[in-house]
Each structure stands twice: as structure tokens, then as C-alpha cells.
Amino acid sequence: MTHEITKDFRFDAAHTLIREIVAEGSRRIHGHSYRAQVTLRGTVDPTSGMVLDLGAIEQRLTSARDALDHRFLDEVPDLGPATMENLASWIWRSLRADCPQLVRVTVYRDSAGESCSYWGE
């Protein structure tokens, strides 16, 4: 039987963004509070009763969170423009090797009611 488990982490970060709509404020350095949700899918291990221990997931998320939290996203290597789309795929790439059960990464800006999900390459 297949199950999905999720783990959220939060980070605050600043960035600039070149865009055509609401352009002026986006070009200036500004920040957001983000929530990222990582979803893993798999079968339950009969011994542990878990797809993967949430503590193990927390350990794997630490480096991704540390690379983004209280950072200027324009300077994060391999991110590109700091959009929710690029954040979701960047988090995916940073976790995929250590989380083979990874099926989805969703980045939320809860204060604006916005989100973006990425299902992998």
C-alpha cells in the first residue's frame, strides 16, 4: 500500500525581480515569508511502520533551509530569478539525491495566497 508523507519548512528571504506587472516594487530589494512543503511517496516499512522517519526528512531539509533562510535569493547559486517556480525546482534538486521517494515540492507565500508545485524533472 502506498502512502504520502509531507514535511513543511519555513524561510524568510529577500530578492529583486524584473517583471512587467507591479514592476517598480519588484525591482527594489524586498522580502517574503515562504513555506515549502516536501512530499514523499512510498510503501510503509513493516518494521518501522513509516515510509521514512520524519526526523530523517528534517535532517535532509536542514541544508536547503539554511541555504535560503535570511538570504538574498539573487545570490543563491543555480537558483536563477527568485520566483516560486525556481524555488520549488531548486529545493527539488537539492533534496532529490537524498530523498529518492520525493514526488512533489510546493512553495507557498501564505500571506498572498500563492503557491507553486513542482513534480520533478
Side-chain angles (χ1 to χ4, degrees):
M1 188 175 299
T2 302
H3 290 75
E4 284 188 354
I5 57 174
T6 62
K7 180 73 175 162
D8 289 9
F9 69 93
R10 296 181 183 275
F11 61 98
D12 297 300
H15 71 118
T16 62
L17 193 60
I18 297 171
R19 54 193 289 203
E20 293 181 23
I21 299 172
V22 193
E24 189 55 36
S26 293
R27 286 189 183 110
R28 292 191 302 267
I29 295 174
H30 63 283
H32 301 283
S33 292
Y34 296 93
R35 177 171 56 97
Q37 184 177 74
V38 176
T39 303
L40 293 87
R41 181 183 299 145
T43 57
V44 173
D45 178 90
T47 304
S48 70
M50 297 179 266
V51 172
L52 183 63
D53 188 311
L54 289 171
I57 297 170
E58 177 69 28
Q59 288 177 338
R60 295 169 186 175
L61 294 178
T62 298
S63 65
R65 179 181 36 243
D66 289 349
L68 300 172
D69 191 35
H70 287 86
R71 305 290 179 171
F72 184 49
L73 297 177
D74 296 33
E75 297 174 350
V76 172
D78 302 320
L79 177 62
T83 61
M84 288 190 300
E85 294 88 341
N86 283 341
L87 284 165
S89 60
W90 185 93
I91 293 167
W92 174 283
R93 290 190 310 272
S94 70
L95 296 175
R96 185 65 175 144
D98 291 330
C99 296
Q101 307 99 318
L102 186 63
V103 293
R104 183 177 60 246
V105 172
T106 303
V107 174
Y108 298 89
R109 286 195 333 208
D110 291 323
S111 65
E114 302 167 338
S115 66
C116 176
S117 295
Y118 181 68
W119 281 268
E121 287 96 16

